Amino acid sequence: MEEDTKPLLVPVGGDESNYGIMNIQFNPEDFKCKRPFHVEPTNIVSVNDDMQRVTDEASAMNKRIHYYSRLTSPADRALIAPDHVLPAPDEIYVYSPLGTAFKVDSCTDGYGKNSSIVTIFMIWNTMMGTSILSIPWGIKQAGFTSGIILILLMGILTLYCCYRVVKSRKMIPLIDTSNWEFPDVCKYYFGSFGQWSSLLFSMVSLVGAMVVYWVLMSNFLFNTGKFIYNFVHDINVTDIVPGTNGSNKVICPGAASSHPPQNRSVLFSSGNNTGFELFEEWWNKSQTVPFYLIAVLLPLLNLKSPSFFAKFNVLGTVSVVYLVFLVTVKAAHLGIHLEYNWFTENDFFVPEFRILFPQLTGVLTLAFFIHNCVITLLQNNRNQEKNVRDLSIAYFLVGLTYLYVGVIIFASFPSPPLSKECIEQNFLDNFPSDDIMSFVARIFLLFQMMTVYPLLGYLARVQLLRQFFGNAYPSVFHVLILNIAIVGAGVAMARFYPNIGGIIRYSGATCGLAFVFVYPSLIYVISLHRAGQLTWPALIIHIFIILLGLANLIAQFLL
């Protein structure tokens, strides 16, 4: 027995603490599911001299474990390898195909090492995306009171459906589903149709997000470049749009939509204006700027691994926090401008209820969408029994953030002199390009999106190419063709349809139909039916949820 407790690896050189860089997390409920993987020396291609080599003892241990695993089917745990065959928890290593080994650091009795607070804010940070910029516009479309109620109801509904996703694996009997993701669950219940349809809707959400990013990056880059050019050349420019006066100016770009081009301005400076006119010709929001982004982002999309950009995820949190700060400061200076009319509309205010409310539900479907990756995020939670609580708290914080930003922007929008109808689909567009605080917000968001965009492209590449070729990087040609198609979609939208609210609600309602409403409800009903526990109230409630998702999608194309 004393021999079984010896380390499986013999260090060759270097500090062992350096081998935790993979930060590997495991899904199983206990260490019995951690199986060392051994590669025979004849198959080793190359090994770094500083890495640890697999010893003969580790190879023998691996063969004994494989022997136990072949005595029965993988689903039957009756003949699982006993404890004395497995290494101790602090001696668990993962063996790579190159014959090297990495020690698992900080392994605990749970699934991962993240505390509840880290898990909560990880979900919050993942869910808080570009939709936050369109929430004030969505409230304007639905009406102030109706908008608040819809945010609360959609938050509760999407949270319940997300809860059903989390519980879906555990309702499958006699199979170890600890490593499954939600598409695997869909494949189990619906076969190849579930597999391919979940891939399709997942691609819709990814490509839709990338298109929205391209439109917003074009917007932010245009306004940032315009601000820098005017500042460097000491040019005083007044945009041809209605707006308020004073240091906290608010503008209404929609009222000037009949004055092409989009970035037309009046110049107040002495001397030759040829340089400024040339700048406006080559620095156009829809004609030129979307194409400039290709030179930067297309090469980044073709990288085999975008792991470098994952280090900048903290920028998402910084951007959201700064947006909340910006909204608070602007509201403090502008004050509150509200007038309650339930069904009548006047020149400056909108009714409390409007028939256009499905446009907000479409935006909210994407704003609360995390269903395709929530299982992965919760697997790293140290306290698995608190997953539901942590998920609920995260949804509460997301809903609170959306409510705060949406309500404050809507309520503080200066009506009169401007109408609430002037609230833009990207509320930053209601502040002129020379506004300092908005300039900083655009810089933050531009840099954040330029680092997230390659990650989204990588996820799309992995999901699509791996299904067709079994490899996420089959060749440079295949990857290049896919990336050109994605970039082309972004450029086309930025050029001809720079309507982020429309793109968000279309993609949100489409992917939400499958991942938020249909699949979680159908899987729950089917599992209850197979277990003989299905009741009429449960069936009616979940059919109603599916119909809500279908109505939400249809309404986007009717309004």
Side-chain angles (χ1 to χ4, degrees):
M1 293 300 294
E2 187 175 323
E3 201 173 295
D4 286 335
T5 63
K6 293 180 181 179
L8 296 180
L9 304 174
V10 178
V12 174
D15 185 4
E16 184 180 307
S17 63
N18 294 330
Y19 305 124
I21 57 174
M22 294 181 71
N23 191 25
I24 296 171
Q25 301 292 332
F26 284 98
N27 301 323
E29 297 177 351
D30 53 41
F31 290 102
K32 296 183 180 71
C33 293
K34 298 185 178 72
R35 296 292 183 262
F37 178 79
H38 172 69
V39 177
E40 298 295 336
T42 55
N43 294 328
I44 297 177
V45 178
S46 62
V47 178
N48 190 319
D49 291 335
D50 293 333
M51 304 296 283
Q52 295 181 331
R53 297 297 304 272
V54 180
T55 64
D56 293 338
E57 187 175 356
S59 174
M61 176 75 76
N62 180 73
K63 290 176 180 176
R64 290 158 66 188
I65 292 172
H66 282 198
Y67 169 74
Y68 281 102
S69 67
R70 291 190 178 96
L71 292 178
T72 185
S73 65
D76 189 355
R77 302 175 65 87
L79 291 177
I80 191 169
D83 290 344
H84 73 273
V85 178
L86 300 177
D90 58 347
E91 295 171 355
I92 295 291
Y93 291 80
V94 175
Y95 299 96
S96 79
L98 294 181
T100 58
F102 297 87
K103 187 171 183 178
V104 179
D105 290 338
S106 305
C107 212
T108 65
D109 292 336
Y111 278 43
K113 64 179 182 180
N114 293 334
S115 63
S116 289
I117 189 69
V118 172
T119 302
I120 289 169
F121 279 98
M122 192 186 316
I123 295 174
W124 176 83
N125 188 39
T126 303
M127 230 187 302
M128 296 298 303
T130 56
S131 301
I132 192 173
L133 299 173
S134 296
I135 295 296
W137 170 81
I139 292 178
K140 181 255 294 185
Q141 296 299 93
F144 184 61
T145 302
S146 300
I148 294 175
I149 294 174
L150 284 175
I151 291 175
L152 296 174
L153 292 180
M154 285 295 292
I156 294 172
L157 179 59
T158 52
L159 169 60
Y160 173 75
C161 294
C162 198
Y163 166 77
R164 293 266 60 98
V165 170
V166 173
K167 294 296 184 181
S168 61
R169 298 184 307 170
K170 296 184 178 180
M171 302 192 73
I172 299 176
L174 305 177
I175 297 178
D176 181 10
T177 60
S178 57
N179 291 318
W180 284 23
E181 298 289 344
F182 191 56
D184 299 315
V185 179
C186 294
K187 182 179 179 180
Y188 171 81
Y189 282 99
F190 308 115
S192 58
F193 172 80
Q195 177 186 6
W196 288 102
S197 60
S198 62
L199 171 65
L200 173 63
F201 288 111
S202 182
M203 288 297 297
V204 168
S205 65
L206 284 172
V207 175
M210 295 180 75
V211 168
V212 171
Y213 270 41
W214 199 279
V215 174
L216 286 174
M217 285 187 293
S218 301
N219 181 310
F220 296 149
L221 181 60
F222 166 75
N223 284 286
T224 301
K226 187 176 179 181
F227 176 90
I228 294 173
Y229 181 88
N230 294 341
F231 179 80
V232 169
H233 293 84
D234 194 22
I235 295 176
N236 181 17
V237 175
T238 300
D239 297 317
I240 305 180
V241 289
T244 60
N245 298 319
S247 57
N248 291 283
K249 186 174 181 179
V250 178
I251 61 176
C252 183
S257 58
S258 59
H259 296 278
Q262 294 182 34
N263 54 326
R264 184 178 176 184
S265 306
V266 174
L267 173 65
F268 296 96
S269 66
S270 59
N272 190 357
N273 298 337
T274 305
F276 179 78
E277 294 173 353
L278 187 64
F279 169 75
E280 287 219 316
E281 179 182 352
W282 288 97
W283 196 257
N284 188 286
K285 184 187 292 187
S286 62
Q287 303 285 344
T288 60
V289 173
F291 293 93
Y292 296 154
L293 288 170
I294 298 177
V296 178
L297 295 175
L298 185 57
L300 297 181
L301 283 177
N302 288 285
L303 295 176
K304 281 192 175 182
S305 174
S307 57
F308 169 76
F309 299 102
K311 300 176 183 178
F312 297 96
N313 279 346
V314 69
L315 288 175
T317 304
V318 174
S319 300
V320 173
V321 171
Y322 182 78
L323 281 177
V324 172
F325 172 73
L326 180 149
V327 166
T328 305
V329 172
K330 293 293 185 182
H333 287 93
L334 294 171
I336 302 300
H337 305 268
L338 288 175
E339 181 178 299
Y340 293 93
N341 298 301
W342 277 102
F343 300 105
T344 59
E345 188 169 353
N346 58 39
D347 292 338
F348 299 106
F349 296 95
V350 297
E352 299 302 300
F353 172 82
R354 304 182 76 185
I355 197 64
L356 298 175
F357 72 89
Q359 295 184 353
L360 175 59
T361 60
V363 171
L364 291 174
T365 306
L366 191 63
F368 286 112
F369 182 71
I370 199 176
H371 301 64
N372 61 341
C373 62
V374 66
I375 292 177
T376 303
L377 293 175
L378 289 176
Q379 278 176 347
N380 288 328
N381 191 0
R382 183 187 305 152
N383 306 305
Q384 287 293 296
E385 69 281 359
K386 298 178 180 178
N387 275 346
V388 175
R389 183 204 67 179
D390 296 345
L391 180 65
S392 303
I393 294 174
Y395 259 85
F396 171 78
L397 293 177
V398 170
L400 190 63
T401 307
Y402 288 150
L403 269 176
Y404 183 82
V405 172
V407 168
I408 293 298
I409 286 292
F410 182 90
S412 63
F413 195 83
S415 301
L418 300 179
S419 170
K420 296 290 186 183
E421 289 286 1
C422 289
I423 297 177
E424 291 289 305
Q425 296 180 7
N426 169 12
F427 74 81
L428 289 178
D429 286 343
N430 286 117
F431 302 107
S433 58
D434 59 352
D435 183 85
I436 298 295
M437 292 191 68
S438 301
F439 167 75
V440 175
R442 292 181 179 112
I443 286 288
F444 268 125
L445 290 168
L446 176 62
F447 190 65
Q448 176 214 350
M449 290 180 182
M450 291 183 72
T451 57
V452 172
Y453 191 84
L455 294 174
L456 295 176
Y458 175 76
L459 292 175
R461 186 176 79 211
V462 167
Q463 291 193 17
L464 189 63
L465 297 186
R466 187 168 285 171
Q467 288 291 333
F468 286 99
F469 302 101
N471 188 345
Y473 205 97
S475 70
V476 175
F477 174 77
H478 290 96
V479 173
L480 183 61
I481 292 298
L482 174 63
N483 291 335
I484 289 176
I486 293 175
V487 167
V491 172
M493 285 296 182
R495 173 69 180 85
F496 300 106
Y497 188 73
N499 184 339
I500 68 162
I503 301 171
I504 288 174
R505 61 191 183 91
Y506 289 136
S507 59
T510 302
C511 66
L513 174 65
F515 282 108
V516 178
F517 300 106
V518 175
Y519 285 155
S521 299
L522 272 184
I523 288 173
Y524 182 60
V525 168
I526 292 173
S527 61
L528 288 180
H529 176 70
R530 291 179 178 178
Q533 300 175 353
L534 182 61
T535 61
W536 278 108
L539 179 62
I540 293 172
I541 289 172
H542 290 88
I543 289 178
F544 179 68
I545 292 176
I546 294 173
L547 293 177
L548 282 178
L550 185 61
N552 183 43
L553 176 61
I554 295 174
Q556 306 309 316
F557 297 93
L558 298 179
L559 298 174

